[in-house]
PDB file of all heavy atoms in Angstrom:
ATOM      1  N   TRP P 134       0.004  10.711 -25.649  1.00  0.00           N
ATOM      2  CA  TRP P 134      -0.537   9.424 -25.207  1.00  0.00           C
ATOM      3  C   TRP P 134      -0.212   8.355 -26.250  1.00  0.00           C
ATOM      4  O   TRP P 134       0.174   7.257 -25.924  1.00  0.00           O
ATOM      5  CB  TRP P 134      -2.045   9.528 -25.008  1.00  0.00           C
ATOM      6  CG  TRP P 134      -2.688   8.186 -24.783  1.00  0.00           C
ATOM      7  CD1 TRP P 134      -2.561   7.407 -23.675  1.00  0.00           C
ATOM      8  CD2 TRP P 134      -3.525   7.470 -25.685  1.00  0.00           C
ATOM      9  NE1 TRP P 134      -3.278   6.233 -23.821  1.00  0.00           N
ATOM     10  CE2 TRP P 134      -3.879   6.256 -25.063  1.00  0.00           C
ATOM     11  CE3 TRP P 134      -4.029   7.721 -26.959  1.00  0.00           C
ATOM     12  CZ2 TRP P 134      -4.707   5.299 -25.673  1.00  0.00           C
ATOM     13  CZ3 TRP P 134      -4.843   6.790 -27.561  1.00  0.00           C
ATOM     14  CH2 TRP P 134      -5.164   5.593 -26.913  1.00  0.00           C
ATOM     15  N   GLY P 164     -16.357  -1.179   1.275  1.00  0.00           N
ATOM     16  CA  GLY P 164     -16.829  -0.676  -0.016  1.00  0.00           C
ATOM     17  C   GLY P 164     -17.190  -1.772  -0.967  1.00  0.00           C
ATOM     18  O   GLY P 164     -17.993  -1.578  -1.884  1.00  0.00           O
ATOM     19  N   ALA P 184       0.257   2.760 -23.995  1.00  0.00           N
ATOM     20  CA  ALA P 184       0.136   2.401 -25.419  1.00  0.00           C
ATOM     21  C   ALA P 184       1.421   2.635 -26.206  1.00  0.00           C
ATOM     22  O   ALA P 184       1.707   1.938 -27.166  1.00  0.00           O
ATOM     23  CB  ALA P 184      -1.010   3.169 -26.047  1.00  0.00           C
ATOM     24  N   ARG P 253       5.345 -26.836 -19.371  1.00  0.00           N
ATOM     25  CA  ARG P 253       5.134 -26.108 -20.625  1.00  0.00           C
ATOM     26  C   ARG P 253       3.648 -25.938 -20.866  1.00  0.00           C
ATOM     27  O   ARG P 253       2.828 -26.646 -20.276  1.00  0.00           O
ATOM     28  CB  ARG P 253       5.792 -26.834 -21.784  1.00  0.00           C
ATOM     29  CG  ARG P 253       5.231 -28.203 -22.099  1.00  0.00           C
ATOM     30  CD  ARG P 253       5.967 -28.811 -23.282  1.00  0.00           C
ATOM     31  NE  ARG P 253       5.422 -30.117 -23.635  1.00  0.00           N
ATOM     32  CZ  ARG P 253       5.861 -30.843 -24.665  1.00  0.00           C
ATOM     33  NH1 ARG P 253       6.838 -30.374 -25.422  1.00  0.00           N
ATOM     34  NH2 ARG P 253       5.317 -32.016 -24.936  1.00  0.00           N
ATOM     35  N   ARG P 257      -2.579 -27.332 -27.156  1.00  0.00           N
ATOM     36  CA  ARG P 257      -3.468 -26.414 -27.853  1.00  0.00           C
ATOM     37  C   ARG P 257      -2.929 -24.985 -27.813  1.00  0.00           C
ATOM     38  O   ARG P 257      -2.965 -24.265 -28.816  1.00  0.00           O
ATOM     39  CB  ARG P 257      -4.858 -26.458 -27.213  1.00  0.00           C
ATOM     40  CG  ARG P 257      -5.888 -25.581 -27.877  1.00  0.00           C
ATOM     41  CD  ARG P 257      -7.251 -25.713 -27.213  1.00  0.00           C
ATOM     42  NE  ARG P 257      -7.737 -27.091 -27.270  1.00  0.00           N
ATOM     43  CZ  ARG P 257      -8.887 -27.486 -26.740  1.00  0.00           C
ATOM     44  NH1 ARG P 257      -9.654 -26.614 -26.075  1.00  0.00           N
ATOM     45  NH2 ARG P 257      -9.264 -28.742 -26.846  1.00  0.00           N
ATOM     46  N   VAL P 315      16.449  -2.493 -36.877  1.00  0.00           N
ATOM     47  CA  VAL P 315      16.333  -2.655 -35.445  1.00  0.00           C
ATOM     48  C   VAL P 315      14.976  -3.235 -35.046  1.00  0.00           C
ATOM     49  O   VAL P 315      14.829  -3.899 -34.009  1.00  0.00           O
ATOM     50  CB  VAL P 315      16.583  -1.323 -34.713  1.00  0.00           C
ATOM     51  CG1 VAL P 315      15.424  -0.339 -34.938  1.00  0.00           C
ATOM     52  CG2 VAL P 315      16.784  -1.534 -33.214  1.00  0.00           C
ATOM     53  N   TYR P 332       7.298 -22.261 -22.309  1.00  0.00           N
ATOM     54  CA  TYR P 332       8.176 -23.370 -21.962  1.00  0.00           C
ATOM     55  C   TYR P 332       8.659 -23.257 -20.509  1.00  0.00           C
ATOM     56  O   TYR P 332       8.700 -22.155 -19.947  1.00  0.00           O
ATOM     57  CB  TYR P 332       9.348 -23.447 -22.932  1.00  0.00           C
ATOM     58  CG  TYR P 332       8.950 -23.964 -24.296  1.00  0.00           C
ATOM     59  CD1 TYR P 332       8.855 -23.085 -25.380  1.00  0.00           C
ATOM     60  CD2 TYR P 332       8.642 -25.297 -24.483  1.00  0.00           C
ATOM     61  CE1 TYR P 332       8.447 -23.558 -26.629  1.00  0.00           C
ATOM     62  CE2 TYR P 332       8.252 -25.770 -25.729  1.00  0.00           C
ATOM     63  CZ  TYR P 332       8.147 -24.892 -26.802  1.00  0.00           C
ATOM     64  OH  TYR P 332       7.750 -25.364 -28.023  1.00  0.00           O
ATOM     65  N   LEU P 366       0.205  -3.910 -29.485  1.00  0.00           N
ATOM     66  CA  LEU P 366       0.619  -4.567 -30.734  1.00  0.00           C
ATOM     67  C   LEU P 366      -0.575  -5.211 -31.439  1.00  0.00           C
ATOM     68  O   LEU P 366      -0.713  -5.103 -32.663  1.00  0.00           O
ATOM     69  CB  LEU P 366       1.687  -5.621 -30.442  1.00  0.00           C
ATOM     70  CG  LEU P 366       3.071  -5.126 -30.008  1.00  0.00           C
ATOM     71  CD1 LEU P 366       3.949  -6.285 -29.603  1.00  0.00           C
ATOM     72  CD2 LEU P 366       3.719  -4.314 -31.134  1.00  0.00           C
ATOM     73  N   LEU P 417       1.203 -13.078 -27.625  1.00  0.00           N
ATOM     74  CA  LEU P 417       1.623 -12.734 -26.270  1.00  0.00           C
ATOM     75  C   LEU P 417       0.469 -12.832 -25.283  1.00  0.00           C
ATOM     76  O   LEU P 417       0.651 -13.262 -24.136  1.00  0.00           O
ATOM     77  CB  LEU P 417       2.224 -11.321 -26.245  1.00  0.00           C
ATOM     78  CG  LEU P 417       3.655 -11.177 -26.779  1.00  0.00           C
ATOM     79  CD1 LEU P 417       4.032  -9.715 -26.900  1.00  0.00           C
ATOM     80  CD2 LEU P 417       4.640 -11.917 -25.868  1.00  0.00           C
ATOM     81  N   VAL P 419      -2.206 -14.844 -25.517  1.00  0.00           N
ATOM     82  CA  VAL P 419      -2.491 -16.262 -25.308  1.00  0.00           C
ATOM     83  C   VAL P 419      -1.426 -16.912 -24.413  1.00  0.00           C
ATOM     84  O   VAL P 419      -1.743 -17.636 -23.455  1.00  0.00           O
ATOM     85  CB  VAL P 419      -2.551 -17.005 -26.663  1.00  0.00           C
ATOM     86  CG1 VAL P 419      -2.695 -18.515 -26.444  1.00  0.00           C
ATOM     87  CG2 VAL P 419      -3.718 -16.482 -27.494  1.00  0.00           C
ATOM     88  N   ALA P 435      -4.670 -25.386   0.558  1.00  0.00           N
ATOM     89  CA  ALA P 435      -5.578 -25.562  -0.586  1.00  0.00           C
ATOM     90  C   ALA P 435      -5.403 -26.931  -1.215  1.00  0.00           C
ATOM     91  O   ALA P 435      -6.264 -27.392  -1.935  1.00  0.00           O
ATOM     92  CB  ALA P 435      -5.326 -24.492  -1.630  1.00  0.00           C
TER      93      ALA P 435
END
Side-chain angles (χ1 to χ4, degrees):
W134 170 70
R253 64 180 182 178
R257 182 178 301 179
V315 71
Y332 287 106
L366 290 173
L417 282 171
V419 174

